[in-house]
Amino acid sequence: MDKGLPFTICVVTTLLLLRESSQAGEENDPKMHPHLGTDSRGSAEGLPTLTVTTILEDPYVMVRGAELEGYCMDLLRALAGMLRFQYRVKVVGDGQYGAVSAGGNWTGMIGEILRKEADIAVAPLTVTSAREEVISFTTPFLQTGIGILLRKDTVSQEMSFFHFLSPFSKETWTGILFAYLLTCFCLFLVARLSPCEWNEPKNEENHFTFLNSLWFGAGALALQGVTPRPQALSVRVVAVVWWLFTLALLAAYIANFTALLSSGSEQLPIQTFEDLVKQRNLEFGTLEGSSTFYFFKNSKNPIHQMIYEYMEKRRDHVLVKTYQEAVQRVMDSNYAFIGESISQDLAAARHCNLIRAPEVIGARGFGIATTQASPWTKPLSVAVLKLRELGDLDYLRNKWWESSCLRQSRDRWSPLEPPALGGLFLALGIGLALGVLAALAELSNSSRHLAGHAKKSCCSVFIEEICTRLRIKESARPSQEISGKANA
């Protein structure tokens, strides 16, 4: 009895030490992170605990010290608070999202769900039909597509000879030319009609000839004051309206030209996946075993089939293992990465020398994966919908994606179209109409005084003044005088 007691004490002590060491090892394991997703005001006792598998990918899940953070971690915390459960997060062992291996088994997070090593997967996991056959997905919490990530200097091309015309579209330049000619014509017409500008049309020349009017309008475009200087109110109205038009037009041109030079979006010769296939300077690939790879494999589109055949023949060279490897390869070599557009937007935000091509195909979503018989599938879907309705998903998106580079990539440059300057052209048209009406009013007032002195009707004097100033009857008068002498 006395000999057995020390032995029993030693055994119990050894078991306690082994238990403490195993718990410490579990806490120090970088792939296992315990988290309590409960309300801090209540106790976590009695709540169900879920094992969550995920994958390290910026900004969804990132390691910061001994903790995990990112978009998916915030989402998981919000879901746990709504549905009242605890969770433990583990990083997927093989670093894969999930695909069927050569032996017919699923790898990555999908495989862990099927083997019951994890209850749910909260990660940028794309909802596909092949995955839906073996597991279940909740309502997507993020919408995305397939895009092309490029390095700016690998796709830039020499500027065209007429690069300075790019800030405005062809239609806008046509409208500006028409506005210039119309304004110069109105200036020429108003200067001839206004008696305050041309008092004696029979004895003096009008300074505002059509060529001088063209020169006056061109000087305003260059922000230079040129002669002749307008004197009549009507002519000044036309001149002031044209000056204001050119001032706003030059401001729009300079602003858009600056945006053009800084963005360089129109210098992308690779705008679509067809452009990517036709070029020979860049290699391209995607993540090995990803849903993007199988999208091109199963697609019936000829362009998509060409992309798949290219990647399949060179899979050892163009397919990458991780997203970080893909981004680094794009930055270091002539390589274009085909992947999730939302992740590429983040890469372009974090690395300002990267850019995503405009075309996005294969609209898809990221969902939370569960087992097919899991009781958590529907509650999680309802919780995701509630978070979207409350605006929490938009908040998380802005929190983890927002940056200065992202703002530049999102505000892509495009040439100004006529509708963007519609108000400016409308203001010019109204100003020209007011100038012409003012000139007619001045001429009408002058004709009324002349009619009173000559004792003629105001209308006849008004018409004579218009004909004299526009020189309509000047060619007909000599013939009338000759016929009068012949009759005499």
Side-chain angles (χ1 to χ4, degrees):
M1 185 72 176
D2 295 337
K3 294 182 180 179
L5 182 60
F7 177 77
T8 303
I9 294 174
C10 292
V11 171
V12 172
T13 304
T14 303
L15 291 175
L16 290 175
L17 291 175
L18 289 175
R19 181 181 179 183
E20 291 179 359
S21 62
S22 63
Q23 290 179 350
E26 182 177 338
E27 292 178 357
N28 295 328
D29 186 359
K31 293 185 178 181
M32 184 68 70
H33 296 263
H35 292 268
L36 293 181
T38 62
D39 192 345
S40 59
R41 294 173 297 179
S43 174
E45 296 180 359
L47 297 182
T49 301
L50 300 181
T51 301
V52 181
T53 181
T54 188
I55 191 170
L56 295 178
E57 182 175 331
D58 188 9
Y60 303 98
V61 179
M62 300 171 290
V63 178
R64 291 293 183 268
E67 295 293 328
L68 294 176
E69 66 175 26
Y71 178 94
C72 289
M73 299 309 301
D74 288 350
L75 174 63
L76 181 58
R77 190 175 299 110
L79 293 173
M82 295 180 66
L83 300 179
R84 304 291 297 172
F85 64 83
Q86 304 177 73
Y87 57 88
R88 292 196 311 165
V89 180
K90 64 185 295 291
V91 179
V92 61
D94 58 4
Q96 300 293 322
Y97 289 87
V100 181
S101 63
N105 298 320
W106 282 85
T107 62
M109 292 178 284
I110 306 298
E112 291 189 352
I113 295 290
L114 293 175
R115 294 189 299 269
K116 303 295 181 66
E117 297 175 8
D119 297 307
I120 62 174
V122 182
L125 191 61
T126 306
V127 180
T128 64
S129 59
R131 292 171 177 172
E132 191 74 45
E133 290 180 355
V134 294
I135 61 172
S136 296
F137 280 99
T138 65
T139 300
F141 57 84
L142 266 181
Q143 298 294 334
T144 182
I146 300 176
I148 308 171
L149 184 66
L150 308 159
R151 196 172 77 247
K152 290 181 180 179
D153 57 356
T154 60
V155 296
S156 61
Q157 59 184 10
E158 295 183 359
M159 295 183 180
S160 62
F161 189 73
F162 295 100
H163 187 68
F164 67 94
L165 298 176
S166 300
F168 293 153
S169 64
K170 295 180 180 179
E171 294 79 7
T172 303
W173 283 116
T174 303
I176 293 173
L177 178 61
F178 177 77
Y180 167 69
L181 294 177
L182 179 62
T183 302
C184 293
F185 175 77
C186 289
L187 190 66
F188 164 75
L189 178 64
V190 169
R192 297 186 74 86
L193 292 178
S194 175
C196 300
E197 186 69 37
W198 196 22
N199 190 21
E200 296 182 5
K202 296 180 180 179
N203 299 327
E204 62 181 16
E205 290 294 330
N206 192 333
H207 296 294
F208 277 96
T209 62
F210 189 69
L211 290 179
N212 286 344
S213 299
L214 291 175
W215 178 247
F216 185 92
L221 284 172
L223 299 180
Q224 299 294 322
V226 294
T227 55
R229 296 182 178 179
Q231 298 178 358
L233 175 62
S234 57
V235 183
R236 290 180 178 180
V237 168
V238 175
V240 168
V241 170
W242 176 244
W243 287 338
L244 293 176
F245 176 84
T246 56
L247 187 63
L249 188 68
L250 289 174
Y253 176 86
I254 293 173
N256 212 34
F257 192 65
T258 303
L260 164 64
L261 294 179
S262 61
S263 67
S265 61
E266 69 24 276
Q267 300 179 39
L268 281 178
I270 299 177
Q271 301 280 340
T272 64
F273 284 87
E274 184 176 359
D275 297 334
L276 183 65
V277 172
K278 291 181 179 179
Q279 59 82 37
R280 293 294 180 267
N281 297 326
L282 296 178
E283 296 179 324
F284 54 88
T286 186
L287 290 174
E288 184 178 2
S290 64
S291 60
T292 302
F293 180 81
Y294 289 99
F295 170 84
F296 288 100
K297 179 180 180 180
N298 300 325
S299 176
K300 303 301 181 181
N301 189 303
I303 300 298
H304 299 170
Q305 279 296 309
M306 293 174 64
I307 294 176
Y308 167 73
E309 292 173 1
Y310 175 89
M311 293 189 297
E312 179 64 26
K313 291 179 181 178
R314 302 167 177 81
R315 60 180 307 137
D316 294 335
H317 184 60
V318 299
L319 297 183
V320 293
K321 301 293 184 181
T322 63
Y323 177 78
Q324 290 76 11
E325 178 188 351
V327 173
Q328 192 64 40
R329 186 168 178 180
V330 173
M331 297 177 62
D332 296 339
S333 61
N334 292 337
Y335 181 78
F337 173 61
I338 302 175
E340 302 292 346
S341 60
I342 193 171
S343 300
Q344 293 175 349
D345 288 338
L346 179 72
R350 301 291 172 82
H351 309 282
C352 295
N353 62 331
L354 300 182
I355 190 172
R356 178 175 61 80
E359 186 181 34
V360 176
I361 61 174
R364 53 184 62 189
F366 293 153
I368 300 174
T370 65
T371 58
Q372 287 186 333
S374 174
W376 292 97
T377 306
K378 186 173 182 179
L380 286 171
S381 294
V382 175
V384 168
L385 291 175
K386 289 182 178 179
L387 290 175
R388 177 177 293 120
E389 294 169 356
L390 294 173
D392 292 345
L393 295 184
D394 293 333
Y395 167 76
L396 293 180
R397 169 68 189 268
N398 295 332
K399 174 184 176 181
W400 292 102
W401 267 261
E402 187 64 24
S403 74
S404 58
C405 293
L406 180 64
R407 190 176 299 111
Q408 293 175 6
S409 64
R410 191 170 54 223
D411 300 336
R412 296 190 181 276
W413 172 89
S414 61
L416 285 181
E417 299 290 340
L421 300 175
L424 190 60
F425 284 99
L426 179 61
L428 177 64
I430 294 175
L432 296 180
L434 290 177
V436 173
L437 292 176
L440 293 176
E442 291 172 349
L443 182 60
S444 176
N445 187 40
S446 176
S447 300
R448 190 180 298 110
H449 289 292
L450 291 177
H453 292 295
K455 296 181 179 180
K456 295 181 179 180
S457 65
C458 182
C459 292
S460 61
V461 174
F462 182 76
I463 295 175
E464 288 179 2
E465 282 293 317
I466 291 180
C467 294
T468 301
R469 292 175 178 278
L470 299 181
R471 304 188 187 280
I472 296 177
K473 293 185 177 182
E474 198 167 79
S475 59
R477 286 177 182 172
S479 62
Q480 293 177 358
E481 294 177 357
I482 293 173
S483 62
K485 291 180 180 179
N487 293 330

mmCIF file of all heavy atoms in Angstrom, residues 25 46 48 94 117 154 197 264 295 328 340 342 415 422 482 484:
data_model
loop_
_atom_site.group_PDB
_atom_site.id
_atom_site.type_symbol
_atom_site.label_atom_id
_atom_site.label_comp_id
_atom_site.label_asym_id
_atom_site.label_seq_id
_atom_site.Cartn_x
_atom_site.Cartn_y
_atom_site.Cartn_z
ATOM 1 N N GLY A 25 1.436 22.764 -27.134
ATOM 2 C CA GLY A 25 1.827 22.544 -28.521
ATOM 3 C C GLY A 25 0.733 22.919 -29.477
ATOM 4 O O GLY A 25 0.976 23.448 -30.560
ATOM 5 N N GLY A 46 -21.281 26.050 -23.202
ATOM 6 C CA GLY A 46 -22.497 25.459 -23.720
ATOM 7 C C GLY A 46 -22.764 25.744 -25.177
ATOM 8 O O GLY A 46 -23.695 25.179 -25.755
ATOM 9 N N PRO A 48 -21.957 25.556 -29.267
ATOM 10 C CA PRO A 48 -21.263 24.607 -30.144
ATOM 11 C C PRO A 48 -19.963 25.200 -30.686
ATOM 12 O O PRO A 48 -19.857 26.406 -30.891
ATOM 13 C CB PRO A 48 -22.272 24.366 -31.268
ATOM 14 C CG PRO A 48 -23.147 25.571 -31.261
ATOM 15 C CD PRO A 48 -23.238 26.011 -29.825
ATOM 16 N N ASP A 94 -2.524 21.318 -47.114
ATOM 17 C CA ASP A 94 -1.776 21.276 -48.377
ATOM 18 C C ASP A 94 -1.762 22.615 -49.102
ATOM 19 O O ASP A 94 -1.208 22.719 -50.206
ATOM 20 C CB ASP A 94 -2.336 20.187 -49.301
ATOM 21 C CG ASP A 94 -3.817 20.400 -49.606
ATOM 22 O OD1 ASP A 94 -4.380 21.423 -49.164
ATOM 23 O OD2 ASP A 94 -4.412 19.539 -50.278
ATOM 24 N N GLU A 117 -12.523 16.665 -41.303
ATOM 25 C CA GLU A 117 -11.475 17.316 -40.539
ATOM 26 C C GLU A 117 -11.850 18.764 -40.194
ATOM 27 O O GLU A 117 -11.211 19.380 -39.339
ATOM 28 C CB GLU A 117 -10.172 17.306 -41.345
ATOM 29 C CG GLU A 117 -9.647 15.909 -41.621
ATOM 30 C CD GLU A 117 -8.410 15.931 -42.520
ATOM 31 O OE1 GLU A 117 -7.911 17.037 -42.780
ATOM 32 O OE2 GLU A 117 -7.957 14.859 -42.936
ATOM 33 N N THR A 154 5.174 45.971 -68.982
ATOM 34 C CA THR A 154 5.257 44.874 -69.949
ATOM 35 C C THR A 154 4.226 44.998 -71.047
ATOM 36 O O THR A 154 4.354 44.371 -72.098
ATOM 37 C CB THR A 154 5.052 43.522 -69.255
ATOM 38 O OG1 THR A 154 3.754 43.504 -68.641
ATOM 39 C CG2 THR A 154 6.108 43.289 -68.205
ATOM 40 N N GLU A 197 -21.260 98.647 -83.948
ATOM 41 C CA GLU A 197 -19.951 98.118 -84.337
ATOM 42 C C GLU A 197 -19.550 98.612 -85.724
ATOM 43 O O GLU A 197 -18.373 98.862 -85.989
ATOM 44 C CB GLU A 197 -19.999 96.577 -84.322
ATOM 45 C CG GLU A 197 -18.664 95.906 -84.563
ATOM 46 C CD GLU A 197 -17.709 96.120 -83.402
ATOM 47 O OE1 GLU A 197 -18.173 96.111 -82.239
ATOM 48 O OE2 GLU A 197 -16.499 96.301 -83.654
ATOM 49 N N GLY A 264 -2.573 55.682 -67.935
ATOM 50 C CA GLY A 264 -2.016 54.845 -68.992
ATOM 51 C C GLY A 264 -2.918 53.708 -69.397
ATOM 52 O O GLY A 264 -2.483 52.728 -69.969
ATOM 53 N N PHE A 295 -12.493 26.157 -65.286
ATOM 54 C CA PHE A 295 -13.416 26.956 -66.085
ATOM 55 C C PHE A 295 -12.989 26.948 -67.551
ATOM 56 O O PHE A 295 -13.814 26.732 -68.456
ATOM 57 C CB PHE A 295 -13.461 28.392 -65.559
ATOM 58 C CG PHE A 295 -14.202 29.347 -66.452
ATOM 59 C CD1 PHE A 295 -15.584 29.461 -66.384
ATOM 60 C CD2 PHE A 295 -13.525 30.136 -67.378
ATOM 61 C CE1 PHE A 295 -16.274 30.341 -67.215
ATOM 62 C CE2 PHE A 295 -14.201 31.017 -68.208
ATOM 63 C CZ PHE A 295 -15.578 31.116 -68.126
ATOM 64 N N GLN A 328 4.012 37.791 -57.447
ATOM 65 C CA GLN A 328 5.447 38.041 -57.520
ATOM 66 C C GLN A 328 5.993 37.744 -58.910
ATOM 67 O O GLN A 328 6.865 38.458 -59.417
ATOM 68 C CB GLN A 328 6.170 37.181 -56.477
ATOM 69 C CG GLN A 328 7.623 37.564 -56.252
ATOM 70 C CD GLN A 328 7.770 38.956 -55.688
ATOM 71 O OE1 GLN A 328 6.989 39.368 -54.836
ATOM 72 N NE2 GLN A 328 8.764 39.691 -56.183
ATOM 73 N N GLU A 340 -8.983 35.419 -60.075
ATOM 74 C CA GLU A 340 -10.145 36.135 -59.581
ATOM 75 C C GLU A 340 -9.929 37.644 -59.702
ATOM 76 O O GLU A 340 -8.922 38.172 -59.240
ATOM 77 C CB GLU A 340 -10.421 35.766 -58.122
ATOM 78 C CG GLU A 340 -10.644 34.288 -57.880
ATOM 79 C CD GLU A 340 -11.938 33.800 -58.504
ATOM 80 O OE1 GLU A 340 -12.772 34.639 -58.876
ATOM 81 O OE2 GLU A 340 -12.123 32.566 -58.616
ATOM 82 N N ILE A 342 -11.425 40.100 -58.261
ATOM 83 C CA ILE A 342 -11.446 40.851 -57.015
ATOM 84 C C ILE A 342 -10.092 40.776 -56.309
ATOM 85 O O ILE A 342 -9.636 41.751 -55.686
ATOM 86 C CB ILE A 342 -12.580 40.333 -56.102
ATOM 87 C CG1 ILE A 342 -12.818 41.303 -54.950
ATOM 88 C CG2 ILE A 342 -12.306 38.934 -55.602
ATOM 89 C CD1 ILE A 342 -14.049 40.980 -54.142
ATOM 90 N N PRO A 415 -11.906 58.763 -72.752
ATOM 91 C CA PRO A 415 -12.031 60.070 -73.415
ATOM 92 C C PRO A 415 -13.396 60.687 -73.174
ATOM 93 O O PRO A 415 -14.399 59.988 -73.061
ATOM 94 C CB PRO A 415 -11.815 59.729 -74.899
ATOM 95 C CG PRO A 415 -12.138 58.282 -75.020
ATOM 96 C CD PRO A 415 -11.752 57.662 -73.713
ATOM 97 N N GLY A 422 -22.177 68.433 -72.746
ATOM 98 C CA GLY A 422 -23.436 68.903 -73.328
ATOM 99 C C GLY A 422 -23.878 70.242 -72.773
ATOM 100 O O GLY A 422 -24.327 71.123 -73.519
ATOM 101 N N ILE A 482 -28.003 100.995 -115.141
ATOM 102 C CA ILE A 482 -27.762 100.899 -116.602
ATOM 103 C C ILE A 482 -29.074 100.822 -117.366
ATOM 104 O O ILE A 482 -29.274 101.473 -118.380
ATOM 105 C CB ILE A 482 -26.878 99.680 -116.914
ATOM 106 C CG1 ILE A 482 -25.489 99.902 -116.328
ATOM 107 C CG2 ILE A 482 -26.800 99.429 -118.394
ATOM 108 C CD1 ILE A 482 -24.578 98.684 -116.436
ATOM 109 N N GLY A 484 -31.911 102.022 -116.392
ATOM 110 C CA GLY A 484 -32.563 103.331 -116.295
ATOM 111 C C GLY A 484 -31.999 104.307 -117.313
ATOM 112 O O GLY A 484 -32.730 105.081 -117.921
#
